[in-house]
Amino acid sequence: MTILAISGSLRVGSTNTLLIQAVADRLPDTARLTLFDGLDALPHFSPERDTDPPLTPVAHLRESIEQADAVLICTPEYAFGIPGVLKNALDWLVSTTLMTHKPVAALSASPSYAGGERAMASLLPTLQALDVTLAEGGVLVVSSVRSKMAPDGTITDEATDADLRSLVQGVLRAVKAT
Ligand SMILES: Cc1cc2nc3c(=O)[nH]c(=O)nc-3n(C[C@H](O)[C@H](O)[C@H](O)COP(=O)(O)O)c2cc1C
C-alpha cells in the first residue's frame, strides 16, 4: 500500500512535515509513505493553463496521486486558512477525477492553542469538492504542537500518539474498503 503525503508547509523543519513523519513511523511494514516533493514547482492554477498534456509539474502531481492508494495532507494554518501553495495544488486536481473516492486523511498542526481548527475548516470543503473519502478518524488537528512534539518530531503526548495510531488504522481500513 502506498500513501502520498502532502505537506502544506514548504518550511525547512516544518512541524507539519514532522507530523507526516510521525504518521509514517506508525505505519505497518505493508504500507509505504512518500512525501510529495513538487508543491513548490507547481504553477499558479488558471483554467487555460490546464492543458492536454499537462505541464510537467502538474503531471508529476497527478501521477503521484494516481499511483497512491491514499493521500495524507498535513497543513499549517495561515491567516485562518490553508497556505496558498496547498490550495493551488488542490485546484490543479479539480478538473480530474483522481481524488474521487480516494481515501484521505487531513491533519493540521499549529503552535497556538486554537490553531489548526480554522485551517481544517477551510480544507474540508475543498476535499468535499474533490469528492474524496475521508478515512474514519482521519481528521486530526494538533494544536499547541510544540508541547506535543520534540524538536526532532518525536511525539511526546500520549493522546496525540493515540490519535495518530487511530488515524493510521482508519486510513488502512479505508484503503481495504476501496
Ligand atoms: C503568514 C503566516 C500566517 C500564520 N497564520 C496563522 C494562523 O492563522 N493560525 C495559526 O494557528 N498559526 C498561524 N501561523 C503560525 C503557523 O501556525 C506556524 O508558523 C507553524 O509553525 C507553521 O507550520 P510549519 O511548522 O509546518 O511550517 C502563521 C504563520 C505565518 C508565517
Side-chain angles (χ1 to χ4, degrees):
M1 178 184 307
T2 59
I3 300 172
L4 182 75
I6 301 175
S7 176
S9 176
L10 303 179
R11 196 173 68 80
V12 174
S14 155
T15 51
N16 282 275
T17 308
L18 287 172
L19 199 55
I20 287 172
Q21 186 55 49
V23 172
D25 292 344
R26 286 158 179 76
L27 289 173
D29 292 343
T30 50
R32 189 170 54 89
L33 183 145
T34 309
L35 183 64
F36 181 65
D37 60 358
L39 207 66
D40 203 13
L42 285 168
H44 294 148
F45 175 77
S46 180
E48 67 266 18
R49 292 182 190 168
D50 197 358
T51 51
D52 185 14
L55 299 166
T56 303
V58 176
H60 177 46
L61 171 69
R62 291 178 178 171
E63 280 159 18
S64 302
I65 300 271
E66 190 168 22
Q67 286 161 14
D69 298 302
V71 175
L72 186 138
I73 297 171
C74 191
T75 183
E77 182 170 298
Y78 279 0
F80 292 5
I82 60 172
V85 285
L86 176 59
K87 181 63 165 64
N88 186 51
L90 296 174
D91 285 347
W92 277 111
L93 299 172
V94 170
S95 66
T96 76
T97 53
L98 293 171
M99 290 292 273
T100 307
H101 306 315
K102 181 79 80 179
V104 169
L107 299 90
S108 182
S110 168
S112 79
Y113 177 73
E117 292 286 355
R118 293 155 300 206
M120 193 55 73
S122 153
L123 176 60
L124 291 178
T126 303
L127 294 179
Q128 192 183 358
L130 290 167
D131 204 15
V132 309
T133 297
L134 271 181
E136 210 183 306
V139 175
L140 181 60
V141 171
V142 182
S143 58
S144 307
V145 64
R146 295 211 171 99
S147 67
K148 296 170 181 170
M149 180 190 273
D152 68 355
T154 305
I155 300 298
T156 52
D157 175 59
E158 266 182 42
T160 304
D161 176 49
D163 286 343
L164 290 172
R165 288 180 194 284
S166 103
L167 179 140
V168 163
Q169 291 309 314
V171 171
L172 298 177
R173 274 197 305 273
V175 171
K176 272 195 194 130
T178 54

